[in-house]
């Protein structure tokens, strides 16, 4: 019987590589609350991003989103609506509702599957002062084209609302100009969860070009204590990254370029073969971090056939999460208009397995399922015709 292929199989650095950094925390007997590993990782991640943004480490990206929304939209936001795509992971919307705000779903554009700038403009115009802010997403970690990111920024500046970008899997991705993610909007949020390319177990970061905002967010992660030991906001909480996770992050960073190379080589091989068979990939995906391999099947029927065949062949190919506006939990929140692109992409979406060490034989097994699954659905239609 064939070995199963898991959707993901994360790796952490070897113990000795982690211990090399953790030794400083042991020596100082300092294991949380911004110890030596935390400080070094903050500095090295900012350098990795080019030195122009500040990095605030978080216990996970969900808390990063909760705090970025709370801080940027204010403790009494001007409206309660946060414009957000529905084609994303539930945590994006949960961070909004945790703040007592409500999502206003907007559509994505068909090429890159990011927040459609045109739909954003319409939503801002239609809802005016009821809009508290915008939460755009790089749901799959791929950078939007520079012009699109700029269009989001301009629309938000014109409307006078903050822009936050959830780029959870995208630490290390760059756009067509080579600009690394991390400088989008007023703040950008990354996840370092085990299943992300920058995998440390649990963790995340908020990046921002605004140093004052970074200091404020840092205090928020630590119960909003100021240097005077006074509590400065009732909304502080504990969102600190521990020293052991920071030590893992430092060890990950030492080999991160190799990890990205390994993921890109494998994903590009799949992309090259699948595009020839009619499967579609996101615009700009070549310089993504590839948390997994997101792909759009030529039709919903082919997508379903692939999922069935994958199960038979013991390969954990997934669809993607249902669009959030279609989930009962979130369905009561308003949509700007119908979301035809989101719904079409979701019906045809496939998420293919990826791992740093996915073997050639495993890649061939995955590709065989996609190529055969697509053929098995197209055959009867051709016969009938
Ligand atoms: N925004 C976006 C756009 C996100 O995608 C996410 C997280 C967030 C915000 C929030 O970030 P965090 O607060 O988590 O930092 C996983 C992750 O749990 C989740 O972090 C991630 N998105 C999401 C896309 O993927 P599941 O429910 O798919 O995980 P699960 O348990 O099904 O595991 C996936 C695969 O990995 C399976 O094949 C099992 C395998 N696995 C998993 C773990 C944790 C392993 O082999 N080893 C492991 O240690 O959500």
């Amino acid at each position: 019987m064939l070995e199963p292929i898991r959707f993901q199989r994360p790796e952490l650095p070897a113990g000795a590589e982690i211990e090399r950094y953790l030794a400083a925390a042991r020596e100082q007997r300092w294991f949380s609350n911004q110890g030596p590993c935390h400080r070094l990782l903050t500095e090295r991640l900012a350098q990795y991003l080019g030195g122009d943004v500040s990095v605030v480490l978080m216990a996970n990206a969900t808390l990063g989103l909760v705090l970025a929304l709370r801080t940027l939209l204010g403790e009494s936001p001007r409206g309660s609506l946060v414009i957000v795509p529905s084609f994303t992971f539930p945590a994006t919307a949960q961070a909004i509702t945790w703040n007592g705000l409500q999502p206003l779903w907007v559509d994505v554009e068909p090429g890159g599957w990011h927040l459609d700038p045109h739909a954003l403009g319409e939503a801002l115009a239609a809802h005016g002062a009821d809009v508290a802010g915008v939460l755009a997403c790089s749901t799959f970690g791929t950078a939007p084209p520079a012009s699109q990111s700029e269009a989001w920024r301009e629309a938000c500046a014109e409307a006078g609302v903050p822009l936050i970008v959830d780029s959870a899997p995208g630490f290390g991705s760059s756009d067509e100009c080579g600009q690394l993610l991390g400088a989008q909007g007023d703040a950008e949020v990354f996840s370092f969860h085990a299943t992300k390319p920058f995998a440390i177990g649990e963790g995340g970061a908020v990046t921002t070009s605004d140093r004052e905002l970074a200091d404020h967010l840092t205090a928020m992660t630590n119960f909003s204590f100021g240097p005077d030991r006074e509590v400065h906001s009732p909304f502080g909480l504990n969102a600190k990254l521990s020293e052991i996770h920071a030590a893992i992050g430092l060890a990950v960073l030492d080999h991160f370029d190799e990890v990205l190379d390994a993921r890109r080589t494998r994903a590009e091989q799949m992309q090259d073969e699948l595009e020839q068979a009619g499967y579609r990939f996101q615009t700009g995906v070549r310089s993504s971090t590839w948390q997994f391999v997101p792909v759009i099947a030529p039709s919903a029927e082919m997508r379903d056939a692939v999922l069935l065949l994958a199960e038979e062949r013991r390969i954990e190919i997934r669809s993607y999460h249902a669009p959030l506006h279609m989930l009962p939990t979130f369905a009561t929140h308003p949509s700007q208009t119908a979301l035809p692109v989101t719904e079409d992409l979701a019906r045809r979406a496939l998420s293919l397995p990826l791992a740093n060490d996915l073997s050639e034989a495993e890649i061939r097994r995955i590709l065989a399922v996609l190529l055969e699954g697509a053929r098995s659905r197209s055959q009867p239609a051709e016969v009938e015709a």
Side-chain angles (χ1 to χ4, degrees), residues 290-325:
W290 299 96
Q291 176 181 2
F292 47 83
V293 180
V295 53
I296 300 298
S299 70
E301 292 71 29
M302 286 184 193
R303 191 278 298 268
D304 294 344
V306 167
L307 289 174
L308 272 178
L309 193 58
E311 206 178 324
E312 279 172 26
R313 305 255 176 107
R314 309 185 78 206
I315 303 176
E316 194 187 356
I317 293 178
R318 294 182 172 186
S319 54
Y320 186 65
H321 300 272
L324 300 185
H325 72 283

Side-chain angles (χ1 to χ4, degrees), residues 101-142:
L101 300 165
Q102 67 167 329
L104 171 66
W105 311 118
V106 289
D107 216 348
V108 293
E109 43 75 33
W113 325 340
H114 290 106
L115 174 64
D116 180 348
H118 181 70
L120 169 62
E122 281 183 356
L124 285 167
H127 293 274
D130 290 338
V131 176
V134 175
L135 180 47
C137 297
S138 288
T139 304
F140 303 99
T142 302

Side-chain angles (χ1 to χ4, degrees), residues 6-8 10 61-62 89 166 168 191 193 195-196 316 318:
R6 254 198 342 241
F7 182 51
Q8 282 162 307
T62 305
F89 187 71
D166 175 353
S191 172
H193 183 260
T195 56
K196 299 288 184 255
E316 194 187 356
R318 294 182 172 186

Side-chain angles (χ1 to χ4, degrees), residues 50-105:
D52 295 330
V53 293
S54 301
V55 172
V56 181
L57 295 175
M58 294 281 161
N60 59 58
T62 305
L63 285 169
L65 287 166
V66 167
L67 290 182
L69 285 162
R70 171 67 66 183
T71 309
L72 276 159
L73 274 47
E75 282 162 17
S76 336
R78 55 178 216 153
S80 66
L81 296 176
V82 178
I83 295 176
V84 63
S86 152
F87 195 43
T88 182
F89 187 71
T92 318
Q94 284 164 333
I96 295 172
T97 53
W98 262 107
N99 274 295
L101 300 165
Q102 67 167 329
L104 171 66
W105 311 118

